[in-house]
Amino acid sequence: MTPRFAPGVRLHEDKARGRTVVMAPERMFVPDEIALAVLRLVDGKRDEAAIVAALAAQYDAPEEVIAGDVKALLDDLATRGALIRG
Amino acid sequence: MADAPLALLAELTHRCPLRCPYCSNPVELARAGTELSTGEWERVLGEAAELGCLQVHLSGGEPTVRRDLPEIVAAARGAGLYANLITAGVLLDAPLMARLVEAGLDHVQLSIQDAEEAGAERIGGMRGAMPRKAEAARLVREAGLPLTLNAVVHRQNLPNLSRMIERALEWGAARLEVAHVQYYGWALLNRDALLPDRAMLDEATRVVTEAQQRLQGRLVIDYVVPDYHAKRPKACMGGWARRFLGVSPAGRILPCHAAESLTGLDFPNVREVSLRAAWEDSPAFNAFRGTGWMPAPCRGCEHAEQDWGGCRCQAFALTGDMRATDPACALSPHHAVLAEAVASAGAPDFRYRGFTREDILPSHDVRLSNA
Ligand code: SF4
Ligand code: SF4
């Protein structure tokens, strides 16, 4: 399960508002800090487990705790068409 | 102070080879000679990004009639804007597609007028449009760009809604927008031919809801319901001058592409003022911003900050008063006019919008007949 951004979807620096947003066809999503941390790891190479492991190291938290959040977020964005779960 | 806008609707031209009877372009169309130049658009796109816009919707009319479209796309991307092309697709051939991709185009929204050729030709008023659209869709997907199909639905094509959804799948769209006609401009002139009755609407809603479930993960379907059967109006454009601004082909800066239908507001022009000055300080943008301008029954209404009193253009078109509560609201004293329109709908003939043929396309496949 290697997530990647769907065509036309990318992270974008919204300089005017000092935040990072997910730009997508005719829409955008404003990720919170956790979601953004996950999305920054979505590169089409890391699979879901690797993303969880990287976050666990980054935030010094147990993988079991993080895994649920990561899955929920990836599922949500996949349903909205922003991510493809390879 | 006003929040910054999120997106710019850049109406590059009013010229279009199609003549949809529900076109939201003003009934008085801007001629080619008055259109903004490439350089002017480049400046406007820079100003939009600087003001805080994140996306630009390149639309029209038909934006691909402009030969400088690739330069305009490149300018949008150069300014950091997400570049979205809204097109009927009939002029989108392989060389143009290649130049647009090269310029950095992010996404294409392609309109379809009906599910099958005959209906689509009748509604769009252009012979041979459907195969060209199919080819445009193929080129977009081949280029690796995301594709959205946009289907404007009404009395004449609603029975074919399921087949329009099949087209979206067949053509490789990731999204489908199913939008009921909004009645101002040309659409208001054609309202009797376009407005569906309650049973048609309920069936459409059922078809969409079923498809949304069934196609989850394959196709995202966005559905815009019609005002004429509603109890509450839509927050038109997310509220007047709250999230979007538009620039017309001749450079007028508008809170919405339909706002030129309002008489008595003086919209600034990019040839005279900056987008920022128009957005922040112009009387036209401030006229209906927020809730302070609202008369009863909107004033003090608990929904005022959700629907912002509805659509100003619809209020003006149906009541003659652009400050009035949108008649789509059940609390409006004019709400009954919508039910009356629904009751009297059913006229089969369209009045087409049109330039003369020479203004549009130098070829001969633009048919100026009626069905
Ligand atoms: S009265 Fe005005 S604010 Fe209240 S629901 Fe109707 S349109 Fe919206
Ligand atoms: S109120 Fe008028 S200007 Fe605003 S979105 Fe509606 S039609 Fe457009």
Side-chain angles (χ1 to χ4, degrees):
Chain A
M1 294 278 277
T2 305
R4 62 189 153 86
F5 287 105
V9 179
R10 59 170 186 265
L11 290 177
H12 180 83
E13 293 308 318
D14 178 0
K15 294 197 198 85
R17 297 168 191 82
R19 63 184 182 181
T20 303
V21 295
V22 182
M23 296 304 289
E26 293 170 46
R27 55 180 66 191
M28 61 171 227
F29 308 99
V30 185
D32 63 19
E33 210 180 312
I34 311 274
L36 187 57
V38 175
L39 291 173
R40 287 203 194 283
L41 294 167
V42 170
D43 60 2
K45 294 183 196 91
R46 285 189 191 85
D47 64 12
E48 194 171 323
I51 290 174
V52 171
L55 284 171
Q58 201 177 325
Y59 288 93
D60 195 18
E63 290 193 13
E64 318 74 86
V65 177
I66 287 176
D69 284 354
V70 170
K71 182 173 183 321
L73 179 90
L74 296 178
D75 283 345
D76 181 42
L77 283 174
T79 311
R80 295 164 191 252
L83 285 182
I84 294 171
R85 315 211 49 183
Chain B
M1 218 193 48
D3 286 344
L6 291 169
L8 169 71
L9 179 73
E11 289 185 273
L12 301 182
T13 179
H14 280 151
R15 290 174 288 155
C16 181
L18 271 67
R19 294 170 300 121
C20 300
Y22 46 76
C23 179
S24 67
N25 280 170
V27 178
E28 287 295 319
L29 303 167
R31 298 276 150 176
T34 65
E35 287 178 4
L36 296 181
S37 67
T38 317
E40 285 172 316
W41 276 115
E42 287 168 351
R43 173 171 59 77
V44 166
L45 292 163
E47 288 180 13
E50 190 273 332
L51 181 55
C53 286
L54 298 170
Q55 296 211 3
V56 59
H57 305 299
L58 300 166
S59 104
E62 176 49 53
T64 55
V65 304
R66 283 194 63 136
R67 298 222 170 81
D68 57 357
L69 183 61
E71 284 92 315
I72 292 172
V73 168
R77 287 305 304 274
L81 296 166
Y82 188 98
N84 174 33
L85 177 67
I86 298 180
T87 178
V90 295
L91 305 176
L92 197 57
D93 57 12
L96 177 60
M97 192 68 228
R99 293 181 63 209
L100 292 172
V101 170
E102 166 84 25
L105 184 66
D106 285 298
H107 169 248
V108 177
Q109 185 203 102
L110 179 67
S111 65
I112 52 167
Q113 281 64 31
D114 204 338
E116 309 297 339
E117 208 162 329
E121 283 189 4
R122 191 175 98 75
I123 294 163
M126 177 178 170
R127 174 173 295 162
M130 202 68 178
R132 295 206 202 178
K133 285 168 183 285
E135 174 62 6
R138 196 186 62 74
L139 290 168
V140 171
R141 297 301 299 125
E142 201 176 82
L145 291 187
L147 174 70
T148 294
L149 284 204
N150 174 276
V152 174
V153 293
H154 45 77
R155 172 178 282 270
Q156 314 267 337
N157 65 5
L158 266 174
N160 308 330
L161 183 53
S162 326
R163 280 184 293 143
M164 288 191 262
I165 295 171
E166 280 167 37
R167 282 271 184 242
L169 288 170
E170 205 177 290
W171 289 2
R175 272 179 71 223
L176 170 67
E177 284 177 7
V178 178
H180 284 271
V181 170
Q182 304 275 342
Y183 294 98
Y184 32 69
W186 286 98
L188 191 59
L189 297 178
N190 283 307
R191 189 172 65 184
D192 282 351
L194 293 170
L195 200 59
D197 63 27
R198 184 79 224 182
M200 294 176 91
L201 175 66
D202 289 344
E203 173 60 11
T205 306
R206 190 195 63 74
V207 166
V208 168
T209 313
E210 184 277 325
Q212 280 170 330
Q213 304 278 326
R214 176 168 48 89
L215 301 173
Q216 222 186 60
R218 284 174 69 202
L219 180 69
V220 174
I221 305 179
D222 289 331
Y223 185 54
V224 179
V225 294
D227 281 331
Y228 276 60
H229 295 275
K231 295 249 177 318
R232 295 257 316 275
K234 282 196 276 295
C236 209
M237 304 300 280
W240 181 269
R242 282 188 74 244
R243 322 186 69 136
F244 302 100
L245 81 171
V247 173
S248 81
R252 287 178 103 192
I253 311 172
L254 305 167
C256 155
H257 58 284
E260 278 186 299
S261 69
L262 299 170
T263 50
L265 286 182
D266 191 15
F267 294 107
N269 194 294
V270 297
R271 289 176 169 139
E272 279 135 34
V273 305
S274 69
L275 285 191
R276 182 178 291 282
W279 179 260
E280 291 176 354
D281 300 326
S282 70
F285 275 74
N286 285 318
F288 305 114
R289 198 174 245 149
T291 57
W293 60 273
M294 289 179 175
C298 293
R299 174 171 295 264
C301 174
E302 58 175 323
H303 304 298
E305 297 206 345
Q306 284 139 36
D307 61 42
W308 305 96
C311 175
R312 293 306 88 222
C313 299
Q314 182 153 275
F316 180 66
L318 297 180
T319 75
D321 176 7
M322 61 183 171
R323 314 187 73 83
T325 293
D326 185 338
C329 180
L331 300 174
S332 158
H334 298 281
H335 187 58
V337 302
L338 301 190
E340 284 158 19
V342 171
S344 70
D349 285 326
F350 294 138
R351 290 173 64 181
Y352 288 96
R353 56 167 286 194
F355 277 101
T356 55
R357 182 178 298 180
E358 307 82 79
D359 265 356
I360 300 160
L361 261 186
S363 68
H364 290 281
D365 45 15
V366 182
R367 209 174 37 145
L368 298 178
S369 76
N370 241 322

